[in-house]
């Protein structure tokens, strides 16, 4: 049943190996995608990633609830196995590869199980640091692996890259099977494997319904939705866009990922803490959204390589937005509501992972941004588009407009309402005790920000 006591480091290794394997395939995947779908490449990429993301959003609560009943280890094994199953199919059958990527979205929720695993093995005051370590490991795997994959692809061909990625995935599965111990004690689980799971636990929309009842969490959630929707779409198509439209080679794409990744880590560790102390939580969110608007507009109008590099540096600074929003949520929620509101934010991000890629793919298709030929890896010339007179990146400009709406909504987020909410709640209790009033004032209490057990 594993080696040693369950710890955060078991979770870190699982995440690193899974995303390292997929990061290696960045260069081969772009080639296979265009060869498989020579027409409407961006549209098909958006649909594939959109189906995968939406299935992940639907299945995440159910898998999380089942792991609460049956333990984490079995579901870690299940999610990693099915997430990595499509990897060897890239060289065997591209059509089956893309079909399996779409369907594997049902099980592509490793992060949900990993965060539950971390929560099992840490105290509450340790949890933020532990989650940060897991997220940093995820970023580190994506900083290093595309560059290694690009080098192997240029030197030995794509087949070797797929083989190495497959071996890394197998190592990850064996690590879970042989090394990772179960983190959920038997006494914490229901009495039997036949224990029922309520629909409310498995309903992905249940948490979203609660948002309408809370005037403080509502603008935060709308901000997350409007800001992460373009980010999810951008992530699904941006490397293909750099390769085929701007003219980046595999080595340039790998270097771009590494540089932006390193700058993002610096921004989230160094600049984020400085900004939080100097200008406050809410203003940090607004600054991050401002950087994101600038970055997306630059991507949309940019047609030269140096413009992409400059916009990438701005993108690194925009990465402070989500950590700042998470901190703002934490400050505005009571201790017993932290899991609820953080779960709502995660659910909205999962929904964006399905809608964002589909949106970007459709906009590329709508504006006739198509590829006439596959760009050779060594050339720096841009691939000709069917309609060269249009703006190079229309989805990025649409994304900038969406983030602008997020910026306007974020202006209405209170800086910190927990203290005032607690004071109001205490006054309500006092008046109830002294005057025996009825419950007519209940609608004034923000349901997600109060301790209902008081």
């Amino acid at each position: 049943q594993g080696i040693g006591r369950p710890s955060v480091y078991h979770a870190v290794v699982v995440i690193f190996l899974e995303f390292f394997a997929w990061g290696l395939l960045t260069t081969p995947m772009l080639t296979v995608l265009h060869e498989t779908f020579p027409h409407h490449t961006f549209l098909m990429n958006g649909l594939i990633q959109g189906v995968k993301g939406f299935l992940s959003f639907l299945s995440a609560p159910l898998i999380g609830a089942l792991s609460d009943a049956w333990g984490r280890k079995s579901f870690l094994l299940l999610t990693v196995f099915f997430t990595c199953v499509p990897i060897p199919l890239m060289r065997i059958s591209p059509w089956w590869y893309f079909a399996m990527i779409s369907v594997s979205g049902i099980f592509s929720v490793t992060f949900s199980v990993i965060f539950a695993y971390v929560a099992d093995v840490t105290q509450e005051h340790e949890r933020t640091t532990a989650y940060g370590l897991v997220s940093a490991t995820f970023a580190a795997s994506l900083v290093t692996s595309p560059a290694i994959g690009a080098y192997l692809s240029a030197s030995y061909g794509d087949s070797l890259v797929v083989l190495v990625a497959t071996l890394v995935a197998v190592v990850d599965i064996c690590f879970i099977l042989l090394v990772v111990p179960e983190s959920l004690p038997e006494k914490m689980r229901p009495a039997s494997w036949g224990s029922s799971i309520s629909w409310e636990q498995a309903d992905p929309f249940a948490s979203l319904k609660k948002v309408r009842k809370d005037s403080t969490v509502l603008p935060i959630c709308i901000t997350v939705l409007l800001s992460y929707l373009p980010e999810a779409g951008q992530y699904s198509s941006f490397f293909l866009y750099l390769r085929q439209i701007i003219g980046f080679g595999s080595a340039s794409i790998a270097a771009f990922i590494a540089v932006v990744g390193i700058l993002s880590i610096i921004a989230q560790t160094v600049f984020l803490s400085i900004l939080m102390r100097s200008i406050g939580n809410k203003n940090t969110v607004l600054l991050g959204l401002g950087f994101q608007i600038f970055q997306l507009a630059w991507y949309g109008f940019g047609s030269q390589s140096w413009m992409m590099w400059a916009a990438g540096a701005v993108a690194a600074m925009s990465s402070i937005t989500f950590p700042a929003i998470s901190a703002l949520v934490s400050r505005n929620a009571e201790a017993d509501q932290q899991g609820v509101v953080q779960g709502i934010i995660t659910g909205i991000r999962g929904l964006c992972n399905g809608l964002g890629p589909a949106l970007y793919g459709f906009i590329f298709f709508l504006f006739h941004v198509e590829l006439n030929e596959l760009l050779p890896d060594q050339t720096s010339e841009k691939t000709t588009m069917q309609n060269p007179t249009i703006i190079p990146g229309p989805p990025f400009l649409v994304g900038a407009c969406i983030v602008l709406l997020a910026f306007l909504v974020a202006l209405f987020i209170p800086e910190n309402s927990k203290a005032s909410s607690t004071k109001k709640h205490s006054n309500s209790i006092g008046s109830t005790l002294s005057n025996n009033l009825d419950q007519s004032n209940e609608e004034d209490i923000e349901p997600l920000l109060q301790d209902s057990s008081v």
Side-chain angles (χ1 to χ4, degrees), residues 206-208 210-211 214 217 221 329 333-347 447-450:
S207 61
L208 301 182
K210 300 176 185 177
V211 173
D214 199 302
V217 176
C221 290
V329 167
E334 295 296 335
D336 66 332
Q337 299 290 345
Q338 294 287 334
V340 175
V341 292
Q342 295 289 356
I344 291 172
I345 300 299
T346 303
L448 291 182
L449 303 183
Q450 302 302 327

Side-chain angles (χ1 to χ4, degrees), residues 234 290-300 311-312 314-316 318 396:
Q234 171 191 322
F291 278 120
Q292 188 178 2
I293 295 169
F294 185 36
Q295 159 223 332
L296 288 169
W298 208 340
Y299 281 153
V314 178
S318 72
F396 304 111

Side-chain angles (χ1 to χ4, degrees), residues 62-72 75 112-113 116 182 184 189:
L62 176 60
I63 290 180
L66 290 174
S67 74
D68 286 338
W70 297 345
R72 314 295 184 201
F75 283 92
S112 298
V113 186
E182 176 57 60
L184 191 66
R189 306 184 206 173

